[in-house]
Amino acid sequence: MHDDSYGIYLSRSAVQHKAQGESSGYLANQSEQARWSKREADLLSYGPSAAQEADEWERIAELVRVQGWETYDVARDEQARVWIAEYRDLVAAQQEETRPVHRMPRVEAGRRLAVELSATAERRLVVLAAELGVSPERVLEVLAERVESGGEGLVHVPVTRVSQSL
């Protein structure tokens, strides 16, 4: 898998998760909505994510229709299982890398904060930031401002909008 495979995997995985257990009628509707979003995204140049998700909705809707399944089940989706295995292999290979951890400096109120991220976490952050149209540092800043402790080592970030403005 090549560099953009991670973003493709995330798009496909998100659709597969949303499609799990849904009927063919629902999937056909989502596929149509995704095609509309894809056309709109192409016109507005939002990037490949909308196109990848639209393609995956269409693939899943067609699979369920052709197979005659009542609902979608990722465990029965041979292509999804292949992609999941490829992704797991990619992650395992990346974890074996001896690449140094990336440090992202951040200056706040006269103090410098360095956040250490694994290669996998860095890639996920960079992909998310690109999808949102902001810097990775901005995503971390918004998360840090809103994070809440749930006790027992659990943290939660309420649903919030990430924008370019500070």
Short mmCIF file of all heavy atoms in Angstrom, two decimals, residues 92-120:
data_model
loop_
_atom_site.label_atom_id
_atom_site.label_comp_id
_atom_site.label_asym_id
_atom_site.label_seq_id
_atom_site.Cartn_x
_atom_site.Cartn_y
_atom_site.Cartn_z
N ALA A 92 1.47 -2.92 11.08
CA ALA A 92 2.49 -3.76 11.72
C ALA A 92 3.88 -3.42 11.19
O ALA A 92 4.84 -3.32 11.97
CB ALA A 92 2.19 -5.24 11.49
N ALA A 93 3.99 -3.22 9.88
CA ALA A 93 5.28 -2.86 9.28
C ALA A 93 5.75 -1.50 9.79
O ALA A 93 6.94 -1.32 10.08
CB ALA A 93 5.18 -2.86 7.76
N GLN A 94 4.83 -0.57 9.92
CA GLN A 94 5.19 0.77 10.40
C GLN A 94 5.61 0.74 11.86
O GLN A 94 6.48 1.50 12.27
CB GLN A 94 4.03 1.74 10.19
CG GLN A 94 3.81 2.05 8.74
CD GLN A 94 2.52 2.81 8.49
OE1 GLN A 94 1.69 2.93 9.37
NE2 GLN A 94 2.37 3.31 7.29
N GLN A 95 5.02 -0.14 12.65
CA GLN A 95 5.39 -0.23 14.05
C GLN A 95 6.78 -0.82 14.21
O GLN A 95 7.44 -0.58 15.22
CB GLN A 95 4.36 -1.06 14.82
CG GLN A 95 3.05 -0.33 14.99
CD GLN A 95 1.97 -1.18 15.63
OE1 GLN A 95 2.10 -2.39 15.71
NE2 GLN A 95 0.92 -0.54 16.09
N GLU A 96 7.22 -1.58 13.23
CA GLU A 96 8.55 -2.16 13.28
C GLU A 96 9.63 -1.17 12.83
O GLU A 96 10.81 -1.41 13.04
CB GLU A 96 8.61 -3.41 12.40
CG GLU A 96 7.77 -4.55 12.96
CD GLU A 96 7.71 -5.74 12.02
OE1 GLU A 96 8.43 -5.75 11.00
OE2 GLU A 96 6.94 -6.68 12.31
N GLU A 97 9.20 -0.08 12.21
CA GLU A 97 10.17 0.93 11.76
C GLU A 97 10.91 1.49 12.96
O GLU A 97 10.37 1.61 14.05
CB GLU A 97 9.46 2.09 11.06
CG GLU A 97 8.88 1.75 9.71
CD GLU A 97 8.16 2.95 9.11
OE1 GLU A 97 8.19 4.05 9.69
OE2 GLU A 97 7.58 2.78 8.04
N THR A 98 12.13 1.87 12.73
CA THR A 98 12.91 2.50 13.79
C THR A 98 12.93 4.01 13.62
O THR A 98 13.79 4.69 14.16
CB THR A 98 14.35 1.96 13.79
OG1 THR A 98 14.92 2.20 12.49
CG2 THR A 98 14.37 0.48 14.11
N ARG A 99 11.98 4.51 12.88
CA ARG A 99 11.88 5.94 12.61
C ARG A 99 11.69 6.71 13.92
O ARG A 99 10.91 6.30 14.78
CB ARG A 99 10.69 6.16 11.69
CG ARG A 99 10.50 7.56 11.24
CD ARG A 99 9.28 7.60 10.39
NE ARG A 99 8.45 8.63 10.95
CZ ARG A 99 7.44 9.17 10.35
NH1 ARG A 99 7.08 8.73 9.18
NH2 ARG A 99 6.75 10.11 10.89
N PRO A 100 12.39 7.84 14.08
CA PRO A 100 12.23 8.61 15.31
C PRO A 100 10.82 9.19 15.42
O PRO A 100 10.16 9.42 14.43
CB PRO A 100 13.27 9.72 15.18
CG PRO A 100 13.57 9.81 13.73
CD PRO A 100 13.32 8.46 13.16
N VAL A 101 10.41 9.42 16.64
CA VAL A 101 9.10 10.01 16.91
C VAL A 101 9.14 11.48 16.48
O VAL A 101 10.10 12.19 16.71
CB VAL A 101 8.77 9.90 18.42
CG1 VAL A 101 7.51 10.66 18.76
CG2 VAL A 101 8.65 8.45 18.81
N HIS A 102 8.09 11.93 15.83
CA HIS A 102 7.98 13.31 15.37
C HIS A 102 7.59 14.22 16.52
O HIS A 102 6.72 13.90 17.30
CB HIS A 102 6.91 13.40 14.27
CG HIS A 102 6.70 14.77 13.75
ND1 HIS A 102 7.63 15.38 12.94
CD2 HIS A 102 5.69 15.64 13.90
CE1 HIS A 102 7.17 16.59 12.63
NE2 HIS A 102 6.00 16.76 13.20
N ARG A 103 8.24 15.33 16.62
CA ARG A 103 7.91 16.32 17.64
C ARG A 103 7.28 17.52 16.97
O ARG A 103 7.82 18.04 16.01
CB ARG A 103 9.14 16.76 18.42
CG ARG A 103 9.78 15.66 19.22
CD ARG A 103 11.01 16.17 19.94
NE ARG A 103 11.68 15.10 20.60
CZ ARG A 103 11.47 14.78 21.87
NH1 ARG A 103 10.63 15.45 22.59
NH2 ARG A 103 12.12 13.77 22.41
N MET A 104 6.13 17.94 17.49
CA MET A 104 5.42 19.08 16.93
C MET A 104 5.48 20.22 17.96
O MET A 104 4.75 20.20 18.94
CB MET A 104 3.97 18.71 16.63
CG MET A 104 3.86 17.61 15.60
SD MET A 104 2.18 17.09 15.32
CE MET A 104 1.49 18.60 14.71
N PRO A 105 6.37 21.21 17.73
CA PRO A 105 6.47 22.29 18.70
C PRO A 105 5.23 23.18 18.69
O PRO A 105 4.60 23.36 17.67
CB PRO A 105 7.71 23.06 18.27
CG PRO A 105 7.86 22.76 16.82
CD PRO A 105 7.29 21.39 16.62
N ARG A 106 4.90 23.72 19.84
CA ARG A 106 3.76 24.62 19.97
C ARG A 106 4.13 25.68 21.00
O ARG A 106 4.54 25.35 22.11
CB ARG A 106 2.53 23.85 20.44
CG ARG A 106 1.30 24.69 20.57
CD ARG A 106 0.72 24.95 19.20
NE ARG A 106 -0.51 25.66 19.35
CZ ARG A 106 -0.84 26.68 18.59
NH1 ARG A 106 -0.05 27.08 17.64
NH2 ARG A 106 -1.97 27.28 18.78
N VAL A 107 3.99 26.94 20.64
CA VAL A 107 4.29 28.03 21.57
C VAL A 107 2.98 28.56 22.11
O VAL A 107 2.06 28.85 21.36
CB VAL A 107 5.08 29.15 20.86
CG1 VAL A 107 5.31 30.31 21.80
CG2 VAL A 107 6.39 28.62 20.32
N GLU A 108 2.89 28.65 23.43
CA GLU A 108 1.67 29.16 24.06
C GLU A 108 2.06 29.91 25.32
O GLU A 108 2.73 29.36 26.18
CB GLU A 108 0.75 27.99 24.40
CG GLU A 108 -0.60 28.44 24.91
CD GLU A 108 -1.55 27.27 25.05
OE1 GLU A 108 -1.45 26.32 24.28
OE2 GLU A 108 -2.38 27.33 25.95
N ALA A 109 1.65 31.15 25.40
CA ALA A 109 1.91 32.00 26.57
C ALA A 109 3.38 31.96 26.98
O ALA A 109 3.70 31.81 28.14
CB ALA A 109 1.01 31.58 27.73
N GLY A 110 4.26 32.07 25.99
CA GLY A 110 5.67 32.11 26.28
C GLY A 110 6.30 30.76 26.59
O GLY A 110 7.49 30.70 26.87
N ARG A 111 5.55 29.69 26.57
CA ARG A 111 6.09 28.36 26.84
C ARG A 111 6.06 27.53 25.58
O ARG A 111 5.17 27.64 24.77
CB ARG A 111 5.26 27.66 27.92
CG ARG A 111 5.36 28.37 29.25
CD ARG A 111 4.53 27.70 30.31
NE ARG A 111 4.98 26.33 30.48
CZ ARG A 111 4.20 25.38 30.98
NH1 ARG A 111 2.99 25.64 31.35
NH2 ARG A 111 4.65 24.15 31.11
N ARG A 112 7.03 26.67 25.42
CA ARG A 112 7.10 25.79 24.26
C ARG A 112 6.70 24.39 24.72
O ARG A 112 7.21 23.88 25.70
CB ARG A 112 8.51 25.79 23.68
CG ARG A 112 8.64 24.97 22.45
CD ARG A 112 10.03 25.19 21.84
NE ARG A 112 9.95 24.93 20.44
CZ ARG A 112 9.76 25.83 19.49
NH1 ARG A 112 9.64 27.09 19.81
NH2 ARG A 112 9.71 25.49 18.23
N LEU A 113 5.78 23.80 23.98
CA LEU A 113 5.29 22.47 24.31
C LEU A 113 5.59 21.55 23.14
O LEU A 113 5.27 21.87 22.01
CB LEU A 113 3.77 22.51 24.56
CG LEU A 113 3.06 21.18 24.78
CD1 LEU A 113 3.54 20.54 26.08
CD2 LEU A 113 1.56 21.40 24.83
N ALA A 114 6.22 20.44 23.41
CA ALA A 114 6.51 19.46 22.36
C ALA A 114 5.63 18.24 22.60
O ALA A 114 5.60 17.70 23.69
CB ALA A 114 7.98 19.07 22.38
N VAL A 115 4.92 17.86 21.57
CA VAL A 115 4.06 16.68 21.66
C VAL A 115 4.72 15.56 20.88
O VAL A 115 5.04 15.73 19.71
CB VAL A 115 2.66 16.99 21.07
CG1 VAL A 115 1.78 15.76 21.11
CG2 VAL A 115 2.01 18.15 21.80
N GLU A 116 4.94 14.44 21.52
CA GLU A 116 5.56 13.31 20.85
C GLU A 116 4.47 12.38 20.33
O GLU A 116 3.58 11.98 21.08
CB GLU A 116 6.47 12.55 21.82
CG GLU A 116 7.65 13.38 22.27
CD GLU A 116 8.61 12.60 23.14
OE1 GLU A 116 8.56 11.35 23.13
OE2 GLU A 116 9.40 13.24 23.83
N LEU A 117 4.56 12.07 19.05
CA LEU A 117 3.57 11.21 18.42
C LEU A 117 4.24 10.03 17.74
O LEU A 117 5.31 10.19 17.15
CB LEU A 117 2.78 11.99 17.35
CG LEU A 117 2.02 13.22 17.81
CD1 LEU A 117 1.46 13.96 16.62
CD2 LEU A 117 0.90 12.82 18.74
N SER A 118 3.60 8.88 17.79
CA SER A 118 4.10 7.74 17.01
C SER A 118 3.87 8.05 15.54
O SER A 118 3.08 8.95 15.19
CB SER A 118 3.34 6.47 17.40
OG SER A 118 1.99 6.57 16.98
N ALA A 119 4.51 7.31 14.67
CA ALA A 119 4.34 7.52 13.23
C ALA A 119 2.88 7.33 12.84
O ALA A 119 2.33 8.08 12.03
CB ALA A 119 5.23 6.56 12.45
N THR A 120 2.21 6.34 13.43
CA THR A 120 0.81 6.08 13.11
C THR A 120 -0.08 7.23 13.57
O THR A 120 -0.93 7.70 12.82
CB THR A 120 0.35 4.76 13.75
OG1 THR A 120 1.17 3.70 13.26
CG2 THR A 120 -1.10 4.46 13.43
#
